Amino acid sequence: MKHDLDVLVIGGGTAGLVAAAGTAAFGARTALIERHRLGGECTWTGCVPSKALLHAARQIHTMRQAASSGIRAETIAVDFAAVMATVRATRRWIYDHGETPAYLISLGIQPLQASGRFLDDRTALIERDGRRRELTFRAAIIASGSRPFVPEVPGLEEIDFLTTDTLFEIDELPQRLAILGGGATGVEMAQAFARLGSDVTLISHDDRLIAHVDDDASELLRQRLSGEGVDIHLRATIAAVSPAGRSAQLRVAGDGEPLVIEVDRLLLATGRMANTSGLGLEAAGVDYERGGIPVDAYCRTSASGIYATGDVTTALNLTHVAEEMSKAAAVNALSKLPVIKYEQAVVPTVVYTDPEVATVGRTARELRESGIDYDRIDLPYEKIDRAVIEGHGDGFVRVYHRRGKVLGATVVGASAGELIAEYALAMRHGLRLHQLAGTIHAYPTMMLGARRAADQFLFRSLRPWMASVMRAAYGYRGKIPEYVGTRQIV
């Protein structure tokens, strides 16, 4: 049977763009359907604008802290509308330089601005402006992404609340901003808006911020946000919302007495949900659940020849996960064989606050729950000269390992997202700590912190008997340091 397309990709965000580029590169006739905007959540409402806003807020904070370096900045004014214009210009630049229809055409992709749904496992109905067209395909890759999750809160529909879909379109700085959610988005935006001048209240049902990280990493971040004026309520939630003129009243319930907080805007940072509705998944035989479309390590769905990748699946909602999955999905869809797996065990995560909080692999809690014996290395940031030079001595590098094999790592501090990459590389390719310690790193850099931590492994690998043999053989007279032979097992 002759098909209209070799590969049909549904969704034009990061996952869809990478998948389509991959299949087109191998000479497959590929069409990409996007009903809204190419670039998707990451470019327009997620990674790009949020990090651009954080960058602006960090610059303002740095100016305010300049006196510690002997620099006097007498007047610092925030033009919030101009800040947001810069945020929007940044995302537009990224779109214009790699996500436009013309660019996709240059890669051999046929972009279609339309909605699409499956009629069966080899046919899709494409609709735009009332016009319909059926396309047949040999393989399909679902990359329809996700959307903000809006919890059911009495009275919420009566106010003009914000989500990440609308946050970056505002031009007026909220004087009083409440944020519901203590995950990455919640804490990042809490710090950004506090630095820009908002009175920020952060509400989270968890007992700590960023629930998946080590307790002390979470606590360090909590202290920093509190020190910058963020009013944090843990083990709490919004029980009800009511309009109060142009403002809103939030009834906050938690462990203590109920609170009533009046705010100008409310940002919901309560996670995301997969875009599975309207795709005709049942007609194609694709199983899905509330959390998204389950896929195996090769990105295969329950329907032969149909793959899924990115936020629409049950995998982690991270751009770099979507990219990795899409590479695998593209090759597997073309080969019709399970050729490439996407990496599920070694996925770094980064919270882009100041300090950054980055993790890869397992945490101490996960290792204990799995019954895995491990050793721990801690290196305070004050031992990284570049961090001290730039006034970023708060934080730490922590590595969980077993005989030098890296099981997980947590880095809290400036450039943590960069340092964690070295441990991700080590875990992915089986590099051990002595190999990191034996690799020359430039001085003074933040990355040297990764090697300094590995150096500790070498020192702790020494045994008193080794030192005793050397002393006896060569007549050395120094005292053996107390750390020789210690392992700091947790």
Side-chain angles (χ1 to χ4, degrees):
M1 177 182 176
K2 185 177 180 181
H3 297 85
D4 298 313
L5 301 169
D6 294 318
V7 180
L8 173 67
V9 178
I10 299 178
T14 297
L17 293 171
V18 173
T23 56
F26 282 98
R29 187 177 185 187
T30 302
L32 183 149
I33 301 172
E34 170 55 50
R35 63 184 176 185
H36 188 33
R37 294 183 291 191
L38 289 170
E41 181 261 344
C42 182
T43 297
W44 298 105
T45 64
C47 309
V48 173
S50 65
K51 298 334 171 250
L53 188 66
L54 281 166
H55 173 68
R58 186 173 291 116
Q59 287 185 307
I60 293 164
H61 181 73
T62 299
M63 292 172 65
R64 291 177 178 142
Q65 301 298 312
S68 63
S69 298
I71 300 171
R72 299 184 62 180
E74 302 296 344
T75 303
I76 301 172
V78 177
D79 184 339
F80 184 74
V83 169
M84 297 304 286
T86 301
V87 168
R88 292 191 282 268
T90 300
R91 66 185 186 183
R92 183 72 197 191
W93 191 97
I94 288 177
Y95 168 78
D96 287 341
H97 289 77
E99 297 172 348
T100 63
Y103 180 74
L104 298 191
I105 291 171
S106 74
L107 298 180
I109 303 167
Q110 179 184 359
L112 301 172
Q113 185 176 3
S115 61
R117 61 183 175 89
F118 293 106
L119 297 179
D120 56 42
D121 61 354
R122 289 296 179 271
T123 311
L125 179 65
I126 312 303
E127 298 182 80
R128 180 182 179 184
D129 298 331
R131 292 175 294 177
R132 297 185 172 190
R133 176 188 177 190
E134 290 186 12
L135 289 175
T136 58
F137 52 83
R138 299 173 67 180
I141 300 175
I142 304 169
S144 51
S146 62
R147 63 188 184 277
F149 170 71
V150 178
E152 293 184 5
V153 178
L156 185 61
E157 70 282 354
E158 298 179 29
I159 69 166
D160 184 21
F161 62 86
L162 297 167
T163 68
T164 51
D165 278 358
T166 55
L167 176 65
F168 303 106
E169 309 309 319
I170 67 173
D171 286 315
E172 183 178 347
L173 178 70
Q175 184 60 45
R176 300 165 300 177
L177 173 67
I179 300 176
L180 179 61
T185 300
V187 297
E188 287 177 358
M189 293 301 96
Q191 186 172 56
F193 275 89
R195 289 180 168 185
L196 290 166
S198 295
D199 294 328
V200 178
T201 300
L202 180 62
I203 303 163
S204 174
H205 66 82
D206 287 313
D207 60 359
R208 56 201 179 100
L209 302 177
I210 316 298
H212 72 277
V213 303
D214 288 344
D215 291 349
D216 54 352
S218 174
E219 177 59 17
L220 194 156
L221 181 57
R222 187 198 65 78
Q223 292 178 8
R224 177 64 65 85
L225 292 182
S226 294
E228 294 185 14
V230 178
D231 184 18
I232 300 173
H233 297 268
L234 300 175
R235 297 182 295 277
T237 191
I238 298 177
V241 178
S242 59
R246 295 187 60 190
S247 304
Q249 284 189 342
L250 313 180
R251 185 159 60 84
V252 179
D255 288 348
E257 291 294 322
L259 299 173
V260 175
I261 302 173
E262 188 164 314
V263 299
D264 299 307
R265 301 303 298 263
L266 169 63
L267 169 63
L268 301 179
T270 45
R272 303 185 65 81
M273 57 191 301
N275 289 325
T276 55
S277 62
L279 296 179
L281 297 180
E282 297 90 345
V286 176
D287 293 338
Y288 64 98
E289 52 195 46
R290 184 175 182 181
I293 300 174
V295 295
D296 64 10
Y298 302 96
C299 299
R300 296 179 295 191
T301 70
S302 58
S304 177
I306 299 181
Y307 298 75
T309 174
D311 286 8
V312 74
T313 72
T314 54
L316 288 173
N317 287 182
L318 297 169
T319 296
H320 42 287
V321 171
E323 288 185 349
E324 187 71 12
M325 293 181 73
S326 293
K327 293 174 187 176
V331 174
N332 297 332
L334 294 181
S335 66
K336 301 182 180 180
L337 295 170
V339 177
I340 297 180
K341 291 183 178 182
Y342 78 91
E343 180 54 61
Q344 304 178 69
V346 184
V347 178
T349 68
V350 185
V351 181
Y352 292 93
T353 44
D354 176 14
E356 293 182 358
V357 180
T359 66
V360 70
R362 303 193 190 198
T363 63
R365 182 184 297 104
E366 292 168 336
L367 289 167
R368 288 194 298 268
E369 290 174 351
S370 300
I372 298 174
D373 186 25
Y374 64 93
D375 298 344
R376 188 179 102 183
I377 293 172
D378 280 294
L379 179 80
Y381 252 51
E382 61 187 17
K383 297 295 184 182
I384 305 174
D385 290 356
R386 180 63 177 270
V388 175
I389 290 167
E390 297 186 353
H392 299 302
D394 291 341
F396 58 83
V397 178
R398 174 172 298 154
V399 185
Y400 299 108
H401 70 96
R402 182 63 176 162
R403 299 188 183 93
K405 179 183 178 181
V406 180
L407 305 174
T410 296
V411 183
V412 181
S415 301
E418 314 300 327
L419 271 73
I420 206 68
E422 186 149 334
Y423 296 111
L425 182 69
M427 293 183 67
R428 182 69 176 86
H429 296 286
L431 299 177
R432 292 181 177 262
L433 290 176
H434 73 270
Q435 293 171 296
L436 299 187
T439 302
I440 297 175
H441 291 60
Y443 177 91
T445 61
M446 298 298 293
M447 287 298 292
L448 188 59
R451 204 216 71 191
R452 293 273 195 241
D455 287 343
Q456 289 195 26
F457 168 72
L458 292 186
F459 286 127
R460 292 173 186 170
S461 297
L462 295 175
R463 296 293 178 262
W465 68 264
M466 298 177 185
S468 297
V469 169
M470 292 291 287
R471 281 164 53 88
Y474 296 102
Y476 297 140
R477 294 176 294 173
K479 181 180 179 182
I480 299 175
E482 293 181 0
Y483 64 75
V484 173
T486 63
R487 297 173 60 203
Q488 196 175 334
I489 298 177
V490 179

